[in-house]
Amino acid sequence: MLSRRGFLLTSTLAAGAGVVPTGVAAEKKPGGAPFDSKNWGAVRRQFDLDPNYIHLSLFFLSSHPRPVREAIAAYRQQLESNPLQTVERLAFGGPPEEYVPAKVCNAIASYIGGSADDIALTQNTTTGLAVIYQGLPLKPGDEILTTTHDHFVHHEAIRLAAERAGATWRKIPLFDSYDSISADDMVERLRKAIRPETRVVGVTWVHSSSGLKLPLRRIADALAVVNRERSPDRRVFFVVDGVHGLGVESPDIVAMGMDAFSAGTHKWIFGPRGTGFVWARPEVWSVMRPLMPSTSSAELFFAWAGEKPPDMPARATWFSPGGFQAFEHYWAVPPAFEFHRAIGPARITERIHELNAQMREGLAKMPHVTLYTPRSKELSSGMVCFDVKGMSPQQVVQRLAERNRVLASTTPYAVPFARVAFGIQNTTAEVEKTLAAIRSMA
Ligand SMILES: Cc1ncc(COP(=O)(O)O)c(C=O)c1O
């Protein structure tokens, strides 16, 4: 228990001290020359992907690039050889500068343009959405407004939180058909749907149902106008499931103006599988209630030890689901952000848009294909969703895999589509091969 006290003390000190993020790979000096981050072939070779396939579903679950694999392996080795002292030193009672969760928060914060103090570490997007919706101060009679386009886990997080709070929830469509989507119309629909009882608006940055990207900044601006007319205790919170924008679009995420943002780091960021985070404004954390015990916060421990309630207000560290983790993954997040930084987020955005635009334009020319993803850069991101006439999405995906070794997916929604997603591991030649395979389905 004593060392646990030490952990809690040092963890707070470390988190406040703004420890510079360094991956364990750097500490351990792994072998191998640094890769040429300006060469897409060299970037691709950082992944251990089976070269016999065209991988178009890497957003689904990350393959780890070399620096992340090495960090995981190095941490695992330390844990295998001495679990007690490794965990005590890096996560409980060691010197503040070795406290790894602070390095993880710093790496995330410096990428999204926020403060490490406003980040809770989670295991995935789903956990983060539950942390947010269960944590918001909802009362009977309050309403959560969302859309018909969000992922199952987002709607479930809302349903469960609403039921527990005695609140209600409502879904609205942001468009009537895929060929008439407009940013103006989507913002206007959300704004008009807000009622006096609406306390939360929850949306998804990039829809995994269609590849549509929402104009988050404009939605935040519209909500700011609504909130100007409301007292602080009745303001509308803006919640975003950001998992398919993070690592694709500009990383200036905090600047987009949402109140709370949840994402896994195990999709487009290529972080360790089973990692994610929630960022929220400090004034939002301060009115939230934690869902789970946290083991990242000294004040909670000392309040418990002193048999008194913790000193309010709540802060982000109270919301990281606690207990032991798969530490070799939990700690190996910073090298993933460092990998993005080395390549350049703007280059990554440009490359992903270029490849997916090539795919959309190719599909749009095929009479036997219906393209659902908008063709404009403003409304699209790293995914392309479509149907082939006379074939189910499952048949399309199966045929691509069996005949062409192209790994596409179907969208897990009530009305499924076939879906491909080109990331920085892919090439323009792979786009052309995939288009040729779909052309042959006519
Ligand atoms: C839009 C969206 N939100 C949430 C999730 C769930 O993500 P996680 O596995 O990180 O919880 C997914 C899964 O792909 C998704 O597409």
Side-chain angles (χ1 to χ4, degrees):
M1 224 45 219
L2 265 179
S3 63
R4 192 159 270 247
R5 276 176 95 100
F7 137 66
L8 288 161
L9 249 183
T10 52
S11 68
T12 318
L13 291 171
V19 178
V20 179
T22 51
V24 74
E27 290 161 18
K28 280 275 187 178
K29 295 200 175 38
F35 74 105
D36 175 4
S37 60
K38 303 295 173 226
N39 175 326
W40 293 119
V43 168
R44 158 71 184 238
R45 287 192 291 279
Q46 295 293 297
F47 296 83
D48 252 355
L49 291 164
D50 184 339
N52 295 310
Y53 289 92
I54 295 180
H55 297 267
L56 304 186
S57 301
L58 294 171
F59 70 92
F60 179 74
L61 188 58
S62 167
S63 166
H64 299 148
R66 186 174 62 96
V68 175
R69 287 200 306 279
E70 287 180 347
I72 292 170
Y75 280 130
R76 179 176 298 135
Q77 183 50 43
Q78 291 178 60
L79 286 160
E80 297 305 349
S81 68
N82 191 339
L84 175 74
Q85 289 185 327
T86 299
V87 171
E88 295 233 309
R89 187 166 57 82
L90 300 184
F92 288 88
E97 64 278 10
E98 290 200 45
Y99 181 62
V100 184
K103 298 182 187 190
V104 175
C105 290
N106 274 304
I108 297 167
S110 58
Y111 180 81
I112 66 170
S115 161
D117 294 340
D118 300 332
I119 287 169
L121 300 178
T122 66
Q123 290 68 31
N124 43 53
T125 324
T126 307
T127 310
L129 289 169
V131 163
I132 295 170
Y133 285 106
Q134 293 283 350
L136 286 171
L138 294 170
K139 296 195 188 67
D142 289 345
E143 179 195 70
I144 303 172
L145 176 67
T146 187
T147 81
T148 54
H149 317 288
D150 309 279
H151 194 270
F152 161 70
V153 299
H154 195 163
H155 287 165
E156 279 295 273
I158 291 173
R159 181 179 71 83
L160 296 170
E163 274 178 16
R164 191 148 301 157
T168 58
W169 65 296
R170 185 164 48 102
K171 294 185 274 189
I172 59 157
L174 293 176
F175 49 87
D176 294 328
S177 78
Y178 281 99
D179 48 17
S180 66
I181 301 177
S182 100
D184 288 348
D185 187 36
M186 291 193 287
V187 176
E188 199 49 16
R189 282 182 185 222
L190 271 173
R191 192 189 62 75
K192 279 197 186 143
I194 293 170
R195 296 173 179 165
E197 63 269 28
T198 308
R199 290 300 314 283
V200 188
V201 168
V203 303
T204 302
W205 191 0
V206 177
H207 292 175
S208 51
S209 49
S210 66
L212 170 67
K213 176 175 69 186
L214 294 198
L216 292 186
R217 177 72 256 178
R218 296 189 51 194
I219 297 170
D221 290 343
L223 291 181
V225 174
V226 172
N227 280 331
R228 244 177 257 149
E229 307 297 318
R230 293 193 174 205
S231 60
D233 65 328
R234 292 300 303 164
R235 75 187 294 279
V236 181
F237 296 103
F238 183 28
V239 176
V240 174
D241 169 351
V243 71
H244 295 302
L246 179 77
V248 178
E249 301 299 326
S250 163
D252 291 334
I253 286 166
V254 168
M256 283 194 292
M258 70 281 290
D259 289 303
F261 179 96
S262 175
T265 39
H266 52 193
K267 294 183 191 279
W268 296 92
I269 288 290
F270 319 128
R273 293 179 282 271
T275 58
F277 70 94
V278 171
W279 171 89
R281 295 177 189 281
E283 53 283 20
V284 174
W285 286 124
S286 73
V287 295
M288 284 174 59
R289 283 160 307 175
L291 168 67
M292 302 258 298
S294 166
T295 41
S296 308
S297 163
E299 9 1 312
L300 293 178
F301 178 82
F302 287 121
W304 171 78
E307 297 195 8
K308 44 182 200 200
D311 279 340
M312 300 304 273
R315 60 219 78 160
T317 48
W318 295 16
F319 293 83
S320 298
F324 282 3
Q325 310 290 336
F327 285 116
E328 59 270 59
H329 280 218
Y330 198 64
W331 294 335
V333 172
F337 284 95
E338 176 54 28
F339 186 69
H340 276 255
R341 198 203 54 74
I343 298 167
R347 287 185 66 234
I348 291 175
T349 301
E350 194 190 340
R351 174 73 170 174
I352 295 177
H353 273 273
E354 179 189 311
L355 293 171
N356 288 282
Q358 186 187 344
M359 184 69 198
R360 287 195 306 274
E361 293 314 308
L363 287 179
K365 291 195 192 103
M366 296 183 199
H368 65 296
V369 168
T370 308
L371 174 66
Y372 297 106
T373 312
R375 285 164 76 177
S376 80
K377 185 177 179 196
E378 182 203 9
L379 296 175
S380 64
S381 187
M383 293 180 189
V384 183
C385 296
F386 62 97
D387 266 335
V388 175
K389 280 197 188 88
M391 292 173 78
S392 71
Q394 289 81 358
Q395 286 170 328
V396 172
V397 167
Q398 200 175 341
R399 180 162 149 168
L400 283 172
E402 286 172 2
R403 293 207 193 164
N404 310 98
R405 292 181 170 261
V406 170
L407 300 179
S409 55
T410 56
T411 58
Y413 290 82
V415 180
F417 302 138
R419 178 177 57 189
V420 289
F422 292 85
I424 58 171
Q425 305 91 337
N426 299 116
T427 62
T428 53
E430 288 181 334
V431 178
E432 288 310 318
K433 277 187 194 160
T434 307
L435 285 170
I438 296 168
R439 207 171 286 121
S440 75
M441 294 176 191

